Every structure is written in C-alpha cells, then in structure tokens.
Amino acid sequence: MDQYKVLIACGSGIATSTVIANRVKDLLQDNGYKVKVDQVKVVEVEKMAPHYDLIVASTQIPSTVTTPYVFAINYLTGVNKEGTDQEILNKMQEIASQ
C-alpha cells in the first residue's frame, strides 16, 4: 500500500491546522489510506506543494499551486464537516487511482 503525503495549512501553521490535521489523518486512516500529515503556514504552501499528494487548508492557497486542494474551513465552523470529509475522500480516490 502506498503512503500518501498530505499538507495541512493555516495562517500560523499551528492552531487551526492541528484541528484539521487530526481530523484528516483519522478520516483517511479510517478509510484505508496510509498517510503522513505535515502542518505549515499558508505562506509555505507554494514551495512545498509539489512534494505532497493533497493539500487541506483553512484558508485559500496561491492559485499557482497545482496539487489537489480542499478548503476545510468547515472543520473549524462545524457546519457541514461531513461534506468536507466526502470531498477529501473523493480527492484521495482520484489520487489513488492515478
């Protein structure tokens, strides 16, 4: 089984990204994906993105980034977290099928 690399980004790379990272890691592992999750500040995303399979962020990332991305503010607001879960799983399914 392949290990997938997921980059979690927020404004500071600490507080909100930890909440998102924990949920994403649990979600993906519970669905059979072996993952390595790293947390960064959003200003670091552009240079790091090519080394990751998926980016999940609590804020918008630079438009120049081509790595698949999910905007996960719902994990912080509590509104429609399940919809964000499904979006992440859909992206991972696409990534895994390549």
Side-chain angles (χ1 to χ4, degrees):
M1 178 190 306
D2 291 335
Q3 182 177 40
Y4 298 95
K5 293 176 69 179
V6 180
L7 188 63
I8 309 294
C10 73
S12 69
I14 301 169
T16 58
S17 65
T18 299
V19 171
I20 295 170
N22 290 336
R23 181 159 181 129
V24 170
K25 185 175 184 178
D26 290 345
L27 172 70
L28 293 176
Q29 288 178 340
D30 289 350
N31 283 275
Y33 295 100
K34 185 176 177 185
V35 295
K36 180 180 184 313
V37 175
D38 295 314
Q39 296 170 233
V40 297
K41 297 176 187 176
V42 73
V43 296
E44 299 172 288
V45 168
E46 193 167 26
K47 71 177 179 182
M48 296 181 75
H51 307 288
Y52 287 83
D53 300 298
L54 177 66
I55 298 167
V56 181
S58 64
T59 186
Q60 295 298 320
I61 63 169
S63 60
T64 54
V65 172
T66 58
T67 302
Y69 157 70
V70 175
F71 180 54
I73 195 69
N74 293 0
Y75 288 161
L76 305 177
T77 65
V79 177
N80 194 24
K81 292 193 267 187
E82 297 77 15
T84 302
D85 288 347
Q86 191 58 56
E87 186 177 354
I88 289 169
L89 291 173
N90 290 346
K91 295 264 186 195
M92 283 303 299
Q93 186 175 18
E94 290 173 24
I95 292 164
S97 68
Q98 295 177 356

